[in-house]
Amino acid sequence: MIKIALVEDHVVIRRSLALLIGSFPDCMIVIEASDGSDLIDKLSVHPLPDIVLLDIAMPGMDGVETAKWLRQNHPKIKIIALTMVENDLVIARMVKNGASAYILKDCEPKELKAAILQVHKKGHYYNEWMTAKMRSKKDVRVMVNEKEISFLRLICTGKGYKEIAEEM
């Protein structure tokens, strides 16, 4: 069973996502949180999730800060950014802070399901939109160093983390 935490400030969206994800085989919502601070509080009293489905634009502790905190404090928890934010710098910051996938809220439910299953199984999910973004960015160097750029290029090839680690 894949344990998932939802971090979304809009209650209707969070509850709707919980119902949708609960209908996916082998997926279970273990935490619902309104922002990063709420998630941190709930992590101490709930089972740790395998995946955090994380909005970015939230009042309080936003998704970028939350991803950074998760990477530092719970590096085994995988992060899927689910957002309407299409800003290239935010995307780069989320990837740098450990996001295993970055998908837009206007995706089809089957893409959300595929992202959850692939992140759980392979450790990452990059759809065509994200892959094209990462390949086309020349100014991403502002946010990441050369080693991180090499890593991003390898991710775009579809290789898993183990293969990338061996190659790097």
Side-chain angles (χ1 to χ4, degrees), residues 88-124:
D88 294 343
L89 293 176
V90 174
I91 294 168
R93 287 179 68 200
M94 285 301 292
V95 171
K96 184 176 181 178
N97 286 335
S100 299
Y102 194 103
I103 56 179
L104 299 176
K105 286 182 181 176
D106 66 352
C107 72
E108 291 291 329
K110 66 182 180 181
E111 182 177 4
L112 177 59
K113 180 180 176 181
I116 291 168
L117 295 175
Q118 191 166 342
V119 163
H120 187 257
K121 184 176 179 180
K122 291 187 172 184
H124 69 278

mmCIF file of all heavy atoms in Angstrom, residues 88-124:
data_model
loop_
_atom_site.group_PDB
_atom_site.id
_atom_site.type_symbol
_atom_site.label_atom_id
_atom_site.label_comp_id
_atom_site.label_asym_id
_atom_site.label_seq_id
_atom_site.Cartn_x
_atom_site.Cartn_y
_atom_site.Cartn_z
ATOM 1 N N ASP A 88 9.424 28.736 -14.480
ATOM 2 C CA ASP A 88 10.622 27.915 -14.664
ATOM 3 C C ASP A 88 11.547 27.909 -13.450
ATOM 4 O O ASP A 88 12.136 26.885 -13.111
ATOM 5 C CB ASP A 88 11.401 28.388 -15.896
ATOM 6 C CG ASP A 88 10.628 28.163 -17.182
ATOM 7 O OD1 ASP A 88 9.664 27.383 -17.170
ATOM 8 O OD2 ASP A 88 10.996 28.763 -18.201
ATOM 9 N N LEU A 89 11.700 29.047 -12.793
ATOM 10 C CA LEU A 89 12.564 29.100 -11.619
ATOM 11 C C LEU A 89 11.989 28.295 -10.460
ATOM 12 O O LEU A 89 12.727 27.642 -9.719
ATOM 13 C CB LEU A 89 12.827 30.544 -11.200
ATOM 14 C CG LEU A 89 13.648 31.365 -12.196
ATOM 15 C CD1 LEU A 89 13.775 32.813 -11.740
ATOM 16 C CD2 LEU A 89 15.005 30.745 -12.433
ATOM 17 N N VAL A 90 10.674 28.328 -10.308
ATOM 18 C CA VAL A 90 10.038 27.533 -9.255
ATOM 19 C C VAL A 90 10.196 26.045 -9.555
ATOM 20 O O VAL A 90 10.501 25.256 -8.653
ATOM 21 C CB VAL A 90 8.541 27.911 -9.096
ATOM 22 C CG1 VAL A 90 7.843 26.981 -8.113
ATOM 23 C CG2 VAL A 90 8.402 29.358 -8.641
ATOM 24 N N ILE A 91 10.038 25.673 -10.797
ATOM 25 C CA ILE A 91 10.232 24.278 -11.189
ATOM 26 C C ILE A 91 11.657 23.838 -10.837
ATOM 27 O O ILE A 91 11.862 22.786 -10.226
ATOM 28 C CB ILE A 91 9.958 24.075 -12.697
ATOM 29 C CG1 ILE A 91 8.481 24.315 -13.010
ATOM 30 C CG2 ILE A 91 10.384 22.672 -13.144
ATOM 31 C CD1 ILE A 91 8.170 24.428 -14.491
ATOM 32 N N ALA A 92 12.640 24.660 -11.205
ATOM 33 C CA ALA A 92 14.038 24.323 -10.912
ATOM 34 C C ALA A 92 14.270 24.211 -9.413
ATOM 35 O O ALA A 92 14.962 23.294 -8.946
ATOM 36 C CB ALA A 92 14.971 25.372 -11.514
ATOM 37 N N ARG A 93 13.685 25.103 -8.633
ATOM 38 C CA ARG A 93 13.843 25.050 -7.173
ATOM 39 C C ARG A 93 13.193 23.795 -6.602
ATOM 40 O O ARG A 93 13.735 23.176 -5.680
ATOM 41 C CB ARG A 93 13.247 26.296 -6.527
ATOM 42 C CG ARG A 93 14.107 27.533 -6.774
ATOM 43 C CD ARG A 93 13.528 28.778 -6.171
ATOM 44 N NE ARG A 93 13.565 28.696 -4.712
ATOM 45 C CZ ARG A 93 12.800 29.440 -3.922
ATOM 46 N NH1 ARG A 93 11.944 30.308 -4.429
ATOM 47 N NH2 ARG A 93 12.885 29.324 -2.615
ATOM 48 N N MET A 94 12.042 23.413 -7.124
ATOM 49 C CA MET A 94 11.378 22.206 -6.620
ATOM 50 C C MET A 94 12.205 20.961 -6.936
ATOM 51 O O MET A 94 12.369 20.087 -6.090
ATOM 52 C CB MET A 94 9.967 22.068 -7.206
ATOM 53 C CG MET A 94 8.958 23.032 -6.601
ATOM 54 S SD MET A 94 8.746 22.865 -4.810
ATOM 55 C CE MET A 94 7.961 21.254 -4.716
ATOM 56 N N VAL A 95 12.727 20.887 -8.149
ATOM 57 C CA VAL A 95 13.574 19.746 -8.512
ATOM 58 C C VAL A 95 14.820 19.733 -7.636
ATOM 59 O O VAL A 95 15.220 18.691 -7.111
ATOM 60 C CB VAL A 95 13.911 19.769 -10.020
ATOM 61 C CG1 VAL A 95 14.954 18.720 -10.356
ATOM 62 C CG2 VAL A 95 12.647 19.552 -10.854
ATOM 63 N N LYS A 96 15.423 20.896 -7.450
ATOM 64 C CA LYS A 96 16.613 21.000 -6.605
ATOM 65 C C LYS A 96 16.298 20.579 -5.170
ATOM 66 O O LYS A 96 17.132 19.983 -4.497
ATOM 67 C CB LYS A 96 17.142 22.429 -6.635
ATOM 68 C CG LYS A 96 18.430 22.619 -5.860
ATOM 69 C CD LYS A 96 18.953 24.027 -6.001
ATOM 70 C CE LYS A 96 20.255 24.190 -5.241
ATOM 71 N NZ LYS A 96 20.821 25.522 -5.392
ATOM 72 N N ASN A 97 15.096 20.869 -4.702
ATOM 73 C CA ASN A 97 14.692 20.518 -3.342
ATOM 74 C C ASN A 97 14.113 19.114 -3.219
ATOM 75 O O ASN A 97 13.567 18.760 -2.183
ATOM 76 C CB ASN A 97 13.703 21.550 -2.793
ATOM 77 C CG ASN A 97 14.379 22.856 -2.439
ATOM 78 O OD1 ASN A 97 15.569 22.891 -2.165
ATOM 79 N ND2 ASN A 97 13.628 23.935 -2.455
ATOM 80 N N GLY A 98 14.227 18.325 -4.273
ATOM 81 C CA GLY A 98 13.896 16.915 -4.153
ATOM 82 C C GLY A 98 12.604 16.442 -4.779
ATOM 83 O O GLY A 98 12.205 15.295 -4.559
ATOM 84 N N ALA A 99 11.920 17.271 -5.540
ATOM 85 C CA ALA A 99 10.683 16.812 -6.174
ATOM 86 C C ALA A 99 10.984 15.696 -7.167
ATOM 87 O O ALA A 99 11.841 15.831 -8.025
ATOM 88 C CB ALA A 99 9.966 17.964 -6.870
ATOM 89 N N SER A 100 10.286 14.596 -7.027
ATOM 90 C CA SER A 100 10.452 13.447 -7.914
ATOM 91 C C SER A 100 9.554 13.554 -9.143
ATOM 92 O O SER A 100 9.718 12.812 -10.097
ATOM 93 C CB SER A 100 10.106 12.158 -7.166
ATOM 94 O OG SER A 100 10.974 11.989 -6.076
ATOM 95 N N ALA A 101 8.582 14.456 -9.072
ATOM 96 C CA ALA A 101 7.666 14.692 -10.191
ATOM 97 C C ALA A 101 7.099 16.094 -10.044
ATOM 98 O O ALA A 101 7.009 16.631 -8.931
ATOM 99 C CB ALA A 101 6.537 13.667 -10.194
ATOM 100 N N TYR A 102 6.708 16.669 -11.166
ATOM 101 C CA TYR A 102 6.121 18.006 -11.188
ATOM 102 C C TYR A 102 5.001 17.955 -12.203
ATOM 103 O O TYR A 102 5.250 17.865 -13.409
ATOM 104 C CB TYR A 102 7.175 19.030 -11.598
ATOM 105 C CG TYR A 102 6.794 20.470 -11.335
ATOM 106 C CD1 TYR A 102 7.337 21.154 -10.254
ATOM 107 C CD2 TYR A 102 5.906 21.145 -12.164
ATOM 108 C CE1 TYR A 102 7.011 22.475 -10.007
ATOM 109 C CE2 TYR A 102 5.566 22.469 -11.921
ATOM 110 C CZ TYR A 102 6.123 23.128 -10.846
ATOM 111 O OH TYR A 102 5.788 24.436 -10.607
ATOM 112 N N ILE A 103 3.772 17.968 -11.714
ATOM 113 C CA ILE A 103 2.639 17.894 -12.635
ATOM 114 C C ILE A 103 1.643 19.009 -12.331
ATOM 115 O O ILE A 103 1.579 19.510 -11.211
ATOM 116 C CB ILE A 103 1.944 16.507 -12.611
ATOM 117 C CG1 ILE A 103 1.505 16.120 -11.219
ATOM 118 C CG2 ILE A 103 2.859 15.446 -13.181
ATOM 119 C CD1 ILE A 103 0.787 14.786 -11.145
ATOM 120 N N LEU A 104 0.918 19.391 -13.354
ATOM 121 C CA LEU A 104 -0.040 20.480 -13.229
ATOM 122 C C LEU A 104 -1.405 19.951 -12.792
ATOM 123 O O LEU A 104 -1.789 18.823 -13.124
ATOM 124 C CB LEU A 104 -0.154 21.232 -14.546
ATOM 125 C CG LEU A 104 1.144 21.887 -15.027
ATOM 126 C CD1 LEU A 104 0.952 22.518 -16.401
ATOM 127 C CD2 LEU A 104 1.645 22.911 -14.021
ATOM 128 N N LYS A 105 -2.138 20.780 -12.073
ATOM 129 C CA LYS A 105 -3.444 20.371 -11.546
ATOM 130 C C LYS A 105 -4.471 20.124 -12.643
ATOM 131 O O LYS A 105 -5.481 19.471 -12.386
ATOM 132 C CB LYS A 105 -3.988 21.424 -10.580
ATOM 133 C CG LYS A 105 -3.280 21.435 -9.256
ATOM 134 C CD LYS A 105 -3.893 22.472 -8.330
ATOM 135 C CE LYS A 105 -3.170 22.510 -7.010
ATOM 136 N NZ LYS A 105 -3.695 23.574 -6.145
ATOM 137 N N ASP A 106 -4.226 20.612 -13.843
ATOM 138 C CA ASP A 106 -5.188 20.355 -14.915
ATOM 139 C C ASP A 106 -4.910 19.036 -15.643
ATOM 140 O O ASP A 106 -5.456 18.767 -16.702
ATOM 141 C CB ASP A 106 -5.270 21.527 -15.890
ATOM 142 C CG ASP A 106 -4.000 21.750 -16.687
ATOM 143 O OD1 ASP A 106 -2.975 21.103 -16.389
ATOM 144 O OD2 ASP A 106 -4.040 22.587 -17.615
ATOM 145 N N CYS A 107 -4.088 18.182 -15.042
ATOM 146 C CA CYS A 107 -3.808 16.871 -15.650
ATOM 147 C C CYS A 107 -5.024 15.954 -15.512
ATOM 148 O O CYS A 107 -5.913 16.192 -14.699
ATOM 149 C CB CYS A 107 -2.584 16.222 -14.992
ATOM 150 S SG CYS A 107 -2.854 15.623 -13.309
ATOM 151 N N GLU A 108 -5.030 14.930 -16.295
ATOM 152 C CA GLU A 108 -6.068 13.904 -16.200
ATOM 153 C C GLU A 108 -5.797 13.029 -14.972
ATOM 154 O O GLU A 108 -4.635 12.821 -14.612
ATOM 155 C CB GLU A 108 -6.073 13.035 -17.461
ATOM 156 C CG GLU A 108 -6.532 13.744 -18.710
ATOM 157 C CD GLU A 108 -8.015 14.077 -18.689
ATOM 158 O OE1 GLU A 108 -8.803 13.327 -18.066
ATOM 159 O OE2 GLU A 108 -8.386 15.095 -19.299
ATOM 160 N N PRO A 109 -6.839 12.490 -14.358
ATOM 161 C CA PRO A 109 -6.625 11.599 -13.212
ATOM 162 C C PRO A 109 -5.684 10.435 -13.515
ATOM 163 O O PRO A 109 -4.899 10.036 -12.658
ATOM 164 C CB PRO A 109 -8.033 11.103 -12.876
ATOM 165 C CG PRO A 109 -8.922 12.220 -13.311
ATOM 166 C CD PRO A 109 -8.268 12.765 -14.564
ATOM 167 N N LYS A 110 -5.712 9.926 -14.744
ATOM 168 C CA LYS A 110 -4.828 8.798 -15.072
ATOM 169 C C LYS A 110 -3.358 9.224 -15.033
ATOM 170 O O LYS A 110 -2.487 8.420 -14.723
ATOM 171 C CB LYS A 110 -5.194 8.177 -16.422
ATOM 172 C CG LYS A 110 -4.978 9.051 -17.624
ATOM 173 C CD LYS A 110 -5.403 8.364 -18.907
ATOM 174 C CE LYS A 110 -5.173 9.288 -20.096
ATOM 175 N NZ LYS A 110 -5.582 8.678 -21.338
ATOM 176 N N GLU A 111 -3.058 10.508 -15.339
ATOM 177 C CA GLU A 111 -1.676 10.968 -15.237
ATOM 178 C C GLU A 111 -1.250 11.079 -13.776
ATOM 179 O O GLU A 111 -0.130 10.719 -13.417
ATOM 180 C CB GLU A 111 -1.456 12.307 -15.931
ATOM 181 C CG GLU A 111 0.005 12.725 -15.837
ATOM 182 C CD GLU A 111 0.354 14.011 -16.563
ATOM 183 O OE1 GLU A 111 -0.530 14.687 -17.107
ATOM 184 O OE2 GLU A 111 1.549 14.339 -16.569
ATOM 185 N N LEU A 112 -2.142 11.550 -12.927
ATOM 186 C CA LEU A 112 -1.837 11.618 -11.498
ATOM 187 C C LEU A 112 -1.559 10.218 -10.954
ATOM 188 O O LEU A 112 -0.582 10.005 -10.240
ATOM 189 C CB LEU A 112 -2.991 12.271 -10.728
ATOM 190 C CG LEU A 112 -2.837 12.345 -9.219
ATOM 191 C CD1 LEU A 112 -1.592 13.133 -8.825
ATOM 192 C CD2 LEU A 112 -4.089 12.949 -8.598
ATOM 193 N N LYS A 113 -2.385 9.284 -11.330
ATOM 194 C CA LYS A 113 -2.196 7.893 -10.902
ATOM 195 C C LYS A 113 -0.851 7.355 -11.418
ATOM 196 O O LYS A 113 -0.090 6.745 -10.661
ATOM 197 C CB LYS A 113 -3.336 7.025 -11.429
ATOM 198 C CG LYS A 113 -3.235 5.569 -11.048
ATOM 199 C CD LYS A 113 -4.411 4.788 -11.619
ATOM 200 C CE LYS A 113 -4.293 3.316 -11.351
ATOM 201 N NZ LYS A 113 -5.417 2.560 -11.933
ATOM 202 N N ALA A 114 -0.547 7.607 -12.679
ATOM 203 C CA ALA A 114 0.730 7.149 -13.259
ATOM 204 C C ALA A 114 1.911 7.771 -12.524
ATOM 205 O O ALA A 114 2.909 7.096 -12.247
ATOM 206 C CB ALA A 114 0.789 7.496 -14.748
ATOM 207 N N ALA A 115 1.799 9.052 -12.194
ATOM 208 C CA ALA A 115 2.883 9.733 -11.481
ATOM 209 C C ALA A 115 3.103 9.096 -10.114
ATOM 210 O O ALA A 115 4.240 8.816 -9.726
ATOM 211 C CB ALA A 115 2.571 11.215 -11.338
ATOM 212 N N ILE A 116 2.036 8.849 -9.383
ATOM 213 C CA ILE A 116 2.151 8.236 -8.053
ATOM 214 C C ILE A 116 2.793 6.856 -8.160
ATOM 215 O O ILE A 116 3.740 6.537 -7.433
ATOM 216 C CB ILE A 116 0.770 8.149 -7.366
ATOM 217 C CG1 ILE A 116 0.279 9.552 -6.997
ATOM 218 C CG2 ILE A 116 0.829 7.247 -6.133
ATOM 219 C CD1 ILE A 116 -1.178 9.608 -6.569
ATOM 220 N N LEU A 117 2.303 6.030 -9.075
ATOM 221 C CA LEU A 117 2.824 4.668 -9.205
ATOM 222 C C LEU A 117 4.286 4.660 -9.655
ATOM 223 O O LEU A 117 5.100 3.896 -9.131
ATOM 224 C CB LEU A 117 1.957 3.860 -10.167
ATOM 225 C CG LEU A 117 0.513 3.614 -9.715
ATOM 226 C CD1 LEU A 117 -0.286 2.900 -10.805
ATOM 227 C CD2 LEU A 117 0.461 2.859 -8.403
ATOM 228 N N GLN A 118 4.626 5.534 -10.607
ATOM 229 C CA GLN A 118 6.004 5.540 -11.104
ATOM 230 C C GLN A 118 6.970 6.125 -10.075
ATOM 231 O O GLN A 118 8.078 5.625 -9.930
ATOM 232 C CB GLN A 118 6.106 6.299 -12.424
ATOM 233 C CG GLN A 118 7.461 6.082 -13.076
ATOM 234 C CD GLN A 118 7.489 6.533 -14.517
ATOM 235 O OE1 GLN A 118 6.466 6.716 -15.155
ATOM 236 N NE2 GLN A 118 8.676 6.733 -15.033
ATOM 237 N N VAL A 119 6.568 7.152 -9.361
ATOM 238 C CA VAL A 119 7.437 7.705 -8.318
ATOM 239 C C VAL A 119 7.668 6.656 -7.242
ATOM 240 O O VAL A 119 8.782 6.482 -6.759
ATOM 241 C CB VAL A 119 6.846 9.008 -7.732
ATOM 242 C CG1 VAL A 119 7.497 9.368 -6.400
ATOM 243 C CG2 VAL A 119 6.997 10.153 -8.732
ATOM 244 N N HIS A 120 6.627 5.926 -6.892
ATOM 245 C CA HIS A 120 6.776 4.888 -5.871
ATOM 246 C C HIS A 120 7.685 3.762 -6.357
ATOM 247 O O HIS A 120 8.538 3.269 -5.614
ATOM 248 C CB HIS A 120 5.411 4.329 -5.475
ATOM 249 C CG HIS A 120 5.476 3.399 -4.325
ATOM 250 N ND1 HIS A 120 5.400 2.029 -4.466
ATOM 251 C CD2 HIS A 120 5.628 3.629 -2.999
ATOM 252 C CE1 HIS A 120 5.499 1.468 -3.278
ATOM 253 N NE2 HIS A 120 5.630 2.405 -2.367
ATOM 254 N N LYS A 121 7.531 3.379 -7.628
ATOM 255 C CA LYS A 121 8.290 2.250 -8.162
ATOM 256 C C LYS A 121 9.704 2.633 -8.618
ATOM 257 O O LYS A 121 10.672 1.965 -8.277
ATOM 258 C CB LYS A 121 7.528 1.639 -9.342
ATOM 259 C CG LYS A 121 8.165 0.402 -9.916
ATOM 260 C CD LYS A 121 7.314 -0.193 -11.018
ATOM 261 C CE LYS A 121 7.972 -1.424 -11.600
ATOM 262 N NZ LYS A 121 7.180 -2.012 -12.669
ATOM 263 N N LYS A 122 9.825 3.715 -9.382
ATOM 264 C CA LYS A 122 11.112 4.083 -9.993
ATOM 265 C C LYS A 122 11.806 5.261 -9.314
ATOM 266 O O LYS A 122 12.964 5.518 -9.585
ATOM 267 C CB LYS A 122 10.912 4.432 -11.469
ATOM 268 C CG LYS A 122 10.543 3.261 -12.333
ATOM 269 C CD LYS A 122 10.531 3.679 -13.779
ATOM 270 C CE LYS A 122 10.353 2.488 -14.684
ATOM 271 N NZ LYS A 122 10.430 2.883 -16.093
ATOM 272 N N GLY A 123 11.069 6.010 -8.507
ATOM 273 C CA GLY A 123 11.675 7.143 -7.828
ATOM 274 C C GLY A 123 11.504 8.473 -8.533
ATOM 275 O O GLY A 123 11.868 9.509 -7.998
ATOM 276 N N HIS A 124 10.920 8.476 -9.737
ATOM 277 C CA HIS A 124 10.706 9.728 -10.455
ATOM 278 C C HIS A 124 9.625 9.561 -11.521
ATOM 279 O O HIS A 124 9.315 8.446 -11.935
ATOM 280 C CB HIS A 124 11.998 10.211 -11.116
ATOM 281 C CG HIS A 124 12.436 9.324 -12.252
ATOM 282 N ND1 HIS A 124 13.124 8.163 -12.054
ATOM 283 C CD2 HIS A 124 12.256 9.435 -13.585
ATOM 284 C CE1 HIS A 124 13.345 7.590 -13.231
ATOM 285 N NE2 HIS A 124 12.839 8.348 -14.170
#
